[in-house]
Amino acid sequence: MSAVIAVLGFGEAGSLLASDLAAAGAAVRGFDPKVPPPAGVTGAGSDAEAVAGAALVLSVNSASEAVNALEASVEALRPGTVWADLNTAAPSVKQRLAAIGEGRGVPVADIAMMAPVPGNGLLVPMLASGDGAEDAAKALRGYGANVDVLAGPAGLAATRKLLRSVFYKGMSASIVEALEAARAAGLEDWLTGHIADELATQDASALTRIVTGTRRHAVRRGHEMAAAAEMLTDLGVEPVMAAASQRLHERLAAE
């Protein structure tokens, strides 16, 4: 019989990963206090019951529960079990997990999923770091997973993911806010086309222009974003991203 893989958390990501592992022939056991196990996955009554005898544990519950899940399970882990945390948590959380694991002889892998799990499932690109990264990657690759191992401690994979998130999610949030304001101003179609054209014409050299120009023109752009934030307020749109941009430019100007 295949070694058991335990999955903690059957949310959007956990349920898809568990289902794909089971479909690929893995013996999967898991627990979620609110969501029943997907087809092909054996349910358990607690985190500790789910991980008992498992060779690999995938913690996919939530960042706020990541440490609690390990602490609730550590007594039930057999020697050599790898604890892989797939939650989107700060590097400090991953480092805390690694410290707990080190104190109990449990290798910990920090795994960052670098794309949405829906539509990708087990094929979602993943980065892994930490003492348990190699073993976790080897086990998951055996079922078709896409895992790259980084040479470094737990927290390194999370750092890469979250640095990208600052850029990508920040850009996405700014676009959403701008289009909401454009809608209120009756200019949504115009701004939608303008944004699409800008995104389509950017290349690698744009990064240098953006960074250099932002610092060089920080004073003027800080004033511009203050005006933009005022306009959004007048349109009835809370200027969350515009105000944040104003503060960033003001900080750069002060430097």
Side-chain angles (χ1 to χ4, degrees):
M1 182 178 177
S2 300
V4 172
I5 297 178
V7 177
L8 305 182
F10 294 136
E12 184 177 65
S15 61
L16 289 171
L17 294 176
S19 294
D20 280 3
L21 285 166
V28 185
R29 184 170 63 237
F31 172 71
D32 187 304
K34 297 180 180 179
V35 183
V41 176
T42 301
S46 66
D47 287 342
E49 182 180 331
V51 307
L56 173 65
V57 178
L58 306 183
S59 178
V60 206
N61 30 53
S62 69
S64 62
E65 291 298 319
V67 173
N68 290 338
L70 177 54
E71 291 179 335
S73 305
V74 70
E75 295 290 346
L77 296 172
R78 74 181 190 185
T81 297
V82 176
W83 186 275
D85 187 87
L86 284 73
N87 297 296
T88 303
S92 60
V93 173
K94 305 287 187 165
Q95 292 159 8
R96 184 176 174 190
L97 292 170
I100 294 171
E102 184 177 5
R104 304 303 294 264
V106 175
V108 170
D110 162 24
I111 296 185
M113 295 180 284
M114 303 299 287
V117 178
N120 286 298
L122 196 58
L123 296 179
V124 63
M126 293 183 255
L127 298 178
S129 65
D131 291 345
E134 289 285 0
D135 287 340
K138 181 179 179 180
L140 291 171
R141 287 170 185 157
Y143 296 102
N146 178 11
V147 188
D148 288 331
V149 175
L150 304 174
L156 181 60
T159 297
R160 291 198 180 194
K161 177 182 175 74
L162 293 176
L163 285 174
R164 193 187 69 164
S165 295
V166 173
F167 154 66
Y168 198 83
K169 271 60 175 186
M171 179 185 68
S172 301
S174 292
I175 290 173
V176 168
E177 181 172 290
L179 288 175
E180 186 178 354
R183 190 176 309 119
L187 294 168
E188 184 177 11
D189 288 344
W190 169 79
L191 187 59
T192 297
H194 180 73
I195 292 172
D197 289 343
E198 283 292 320
L199 292 176
T201 58
Q202 296 302 322
D203 56 25
S205 65
L207 178 60
T208 300
R209 295 196 301 271
I210 288 170
V211 173
T212 302
T214 297
R215 292 186 177 277
R216 178 180 299 148
H217 305 296
V219 173
R220 175 176 60 80
R221 292 182 182 183
H223 295 157
E224 182 178 335
M225 293 314 299
E230 182 178 352
M231 179 190 70
L232 263 64
T233 299
D234 292 342
L235 289 169
V237 177
E238 183 181 3
V240 176
M241 301 305 294
S245 178
Q246 175 191 345
R247 291 195 298 274
L248 175 62
H249 283 92
E250 289 172 347
R251 175 172 68 78
L252 293 176
E255 294 175 356

